[in-house]
């Protein structure tokens, strides 16, 4: 049993030490996504905002679709996004969008507990998504994400990539999906030590999902 505790402790320490950047990328995108637990990679229909979780879920019905999402996550944290879908042809689909997270206004103090005014904290990500239908049931997609973050005077910039695959069978009511999210890194960290940028990895995760529609 002590070996198990040692392994758990080591894994936890490694996770904490890694401290991935841009944790806001794991926040749900839109009210529907939040209602589904924030993980909807195997839900596929005409909703363009679902492509934020799985880039393979662009379809013919997302062409010329414009989507706005807004959430008051809690207290002063507000999340907004806008996406537009455009399909060059019947097998190639694209979408473009921006997501914005505002954490509200904070009061700043120095080491002597003297007030120094207020400051804000914001995260933003601009996404370009491409998806292709491989067959009547299979599709794949990739999303390129440019990430910008500013907390008070500290700024950071990074890039991330999502890669998704989807199997969708309308007759059987089955959708299966595999998605690798947030593969990338910071190019500019929030601070530097002795002129050397302190950069972190993104919150990479691999997800597998299955959705089945019951006959009734």
């Amino acid at each position: 049993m002590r070996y198990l505790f040692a392994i758990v402790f080591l894994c936890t320490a490694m996770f904490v030490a890694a401290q991935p950047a841009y944790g806001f990328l794991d926040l749900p995108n839109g009210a529907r996504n939040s209602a589904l637990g924030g993980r909807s990679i195997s839900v596929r229909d005409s909703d363009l905002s679902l492509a934020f979780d799985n880039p393979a879920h662009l379809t013919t019905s997302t062409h010329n679709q414009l989507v706005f999402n807004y959430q008051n996550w809690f207290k002063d944290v507000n999340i907004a996004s806008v996406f537009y879908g455009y399909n060059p042809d019947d097998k190639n689909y694209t979408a473009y969008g921006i997501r914005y997270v505002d954490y509200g206004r904070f009061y700043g103090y120095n080491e002597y507990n003297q007030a120094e005014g207020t400051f804000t904290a914001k995260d933003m990500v601009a996404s370009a998504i491409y998806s292709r239908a491989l067959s009547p049931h299979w599709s794949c997609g990739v999303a390129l994400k440019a990430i910008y973050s500013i907390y008070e005077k500290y700024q950071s910039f990074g890039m991330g990539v999502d890669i998704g695959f989807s199997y969708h069978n309308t007759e059987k009511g089955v959708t299966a999906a595999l998605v690798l999210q947030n593969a990338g890194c910071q190019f500019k960290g929030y601070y530097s030590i002795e002129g050397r940028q302190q950069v972190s990895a993104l919150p990479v995760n691999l997800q597998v999902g299955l959705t089945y529609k019951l006959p009734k």
Side-chain angles (χ1 to χ4, degrees):
M1 182 63 69
R2 65 175 181 268
Y3 295 111
L4 177 60
F5 282 126
I7 293 173
V8 172
F9 176 79
L10 180 60
C11 292
T12 304
M14 292 174 64
F15 175 79
V16 171
Q19 294 182 348
Y22 311 133
F24 79 99
L25 295 173
D26 286 333
L27 292 177
N29 181 58
R32 184 183 181 194
N33 184 281
S34 296
L36 293 170
R39 296 288 182 261
S40 56
I41 66 167
S42 59
V43 178
R44 174 173 172 168
D45 54 31
S46 59
D47 188 352
L48 176 61
S49 60
L50 294 174
F52 186 86
D53 295 307
N54 187 347
H57 282 176
L58 293 176
T59 67
T60 54
S61 60
T62 58
H63 178 57
N64 275 338
Q65 186 177 138
L66 183 64
V67 174
F68 293 94
N69 283 301
Y70 168 77
Q71 293 172 273
N72 177 246
W73 187 239
F74 62 87
K75 199 170 174 55
D76 296 330
V77 179
N78 295 293
I79 307 174
S81 63
V82 56
F83 280 89
Y84 173 71
Y86 175 78
N87 299 342
D89 53 54
D90 292 338
K91 288 188 176 182
N92 297 282
Y93 321 125
T94 65
Y96 311 90
I98 297 176
R99 192 174 185 221
Y100 174 81
V101 183
D102 189 332
Y103 301 98
R105 190 165 292 276
F106 301 86
Y107 294 95
Y109 295 85
N110 61 22
E111 64 271 28
Y112 304 108
N113 201 32
Q114 296 171 331
E116 294 188 334
T118 61
F119 64 92
T120 61
K122 298 178 176 66
D123 288 316
M124 287 162 276
V125 55
S127 302
I129 305 173
Y130 170 76
S131 179
R132 179 176 175 83
L134 303 177
S135 72
H137 297 308
W138 287 93
S139 62
C140 66
V142 59
L144 181 64
K145 301 186 291 190
I147 307 162
Y148 175 73
S149 179
I150 177 169
Y151 301 154
E152 204 247 346
K153 63 181 179 180
Y154 303 98
Q155 302 180 45
S156 174
F157 175 74
M159 297 290 292
V161 176
D162 296 347
I163 302 173
F165 296 90
S166 175
Y167 170 81
H168 182 64
N169 191 317
T170 305
E171 293 77 17
K172 296 182 178 180
V174 175
T175 302
L178 173 68
V179 179
L180 174 66
Q181 293 182 332
N182 306 325
C185 65
Q186 283 181 311
F187 293 129
K188 180 183 183 301
Y190 293 101
Y191 63 96
S192 61
I193 298 178
E194 296 180 351
R196 185 174 181 180
Q197 286 287 329
Q198 302 300 302
V199 296
S200 302
L202 272 62
V204 180
N205 63 72
L206 181 66
Q207 299 182 37
V208 178
L210 177 66
T211 299
Y212 176 65
K213 183 179 180 181
L214 300 174
K216 302 298 181 180

